[in-house]
Amino acid sequence: MDAERARNEMVDGLRTAGRIRSAAVEEAFRSVPRHLFLPNLAVADAYADEAVAVQVTDGVATSSASQPSMMAIMLEQLGLRPGHRVLEIGAGTGYNAALMARIVGPAGAVTAVDIDEELVDRAAVHLESAGVHTVELVAADGAHGHPPGAPYDRIVLTVGSDDVLPAWVDQLVPDGRLLLPLALRGSQLSVALDLGRDGVLRSDSVRSCAFIRLRGEAASTDVSRRLDGTGVTLLAPDDLAEPDPGRVAELLGEPRRRRDAAVPLGAVDVWDGFGLWLALTETDACRLLATEAETSLPDELFPLGPASGTVALAGADGLAAVVPTEPGPGPGPVAVREFGPDGAELADRLLAAMDEWAVAGRPGAPDWRLTVVPTGVDAPALPAPRVIVKKHCRVLAEPAARAAGRA
Ligand SMILES: C[S@@+](CC[C@H](N)C(=O)[O-])C[C@H]1O[C@@H](n2cnc3c(N)ncnc32)[C@H](O)[C@@H]1O
């Protein structure tokens, strides 16, 4: 297949879907040959709108060329301009760095860091074959940023992080922008954060995403745990108060009532809409993923691509999970299944949260605003349940209308 035609078809698709919105991002996608960054793939596959794993360790992808749709969304969030100095953490194949180099032009500078030396060597070959000579590649742990090139107008992570690390904030110019896939209580959001003169970062835009996690010094601790004997994996953040995963496995064996809910939900609502709302408003929120064909659950879960899953509230002696009553691809009626002695009380809370989410207009990722206060920066007291405390910062999550109203 002709590479230029395949590339233009991919770009046309990204434009039609609203992923590419600006002329600068479109021009970059049209001119940088993605297939040269994925030399082991057939041309048609290199221009499919899909992520491609390029390094797999113990059955888990540790590097991938991200999905073009997601790359376009993030490049639009980043707001690059000619002359910008950019740091990318997660160089991978070098493709995103090449796109950014195209946008910032000869007056700008792109430095791309990857923790894996072999990947950096391969990225250098790809960039050379694509005729891109303006990207500086560095093999290092991006947890430290890259001080020699600081300050940067933009810092972008193309790898998921649990926290906003001090090095990244310190290496931004005043008013600079940090864009990163940030894990928040089991959800991952691509957040464009603008650094204010007061040292506080405020989101300009928020989108859902699903990135490989950071390795090295700032490696993610917010991981999934298989629940033995259930066929289910628990995705729970570090600050899930209780119970421990062993108890959750026992609770799944103690199903009780199933109560109909008033709010219809589809898989996307469960994961990115209501699921995100629950994660950002309840410290007991968690997610359940069916990781085997057979589970011990009494109900089906929602279809989520290759797997199925749902959201739940977990307490010391109970669990309540959202389940579809007429499983299918689109939005439909749902119920709440109680597990264990405290299941009824948790189900009350889950049903009330669903009603609140519906009254708020069924917000999804783009409807949230995040404020990140780095540790050590003075800020007014933040209202309790919506604050997520990390090691290096506090994150306040508010629905967009409320944040705008306060401004
Ligand atoms: C999704 S891939 C990035 C894709 C890349 N932007 C591209 O265009 O191909 C994530 C990358 O982050 C890298 N990574 C993981 N932990 C890192 C760290 N601590 N510092 C720098 N890079 C890291 C991985 O090795 C992997 O190559």
Side-chain angles (χ1 to χ4, degrees), residues 62-64 88 90-93 96 114-115 119 141-142 158-159 214-215:
T62 44
S63 184
S64 64
E88 178 182 27
T93 63
N96 192 52
D114 204 290
I115 196 165
L119 290 171
D141 187 337
T158 46
V159 57
L214 273 179
R215 299 184 250 170

Side-chain angles (χ1 to χ4, degrees), residues 34 37-38 51-52 54-55 61-67 71 88-100 112-117 119-120 123 126 138-145 157-160 165 168 210-219:
R34 188 176 198 246
F37 294 81
L38 293 165
V52 179
V54 295
Q55 186 186 60
T62 44
S63 184
S64 64
S66 308
Q67 185 184 14
M71 296 179 70
E88 178 182 27
I89 296 165
T93 63
Y95 177 49
N96 192 52
L99 292 168
M100 296 195 298
V113 178
D114 204 290
I115 196 165
D116 191 308
E117 207 157 340
L119 290 171
V120 169
H126 302 158
V138 180
D141 187 337
H144 306 287
L157 277 83
T158 46
V159 57
L165 300 189
W168 307 333
F211 272 85
I212 286 170
R213 298 302 192 83
L214 273 179
R215 299 184 250 170
E217 231 171 79

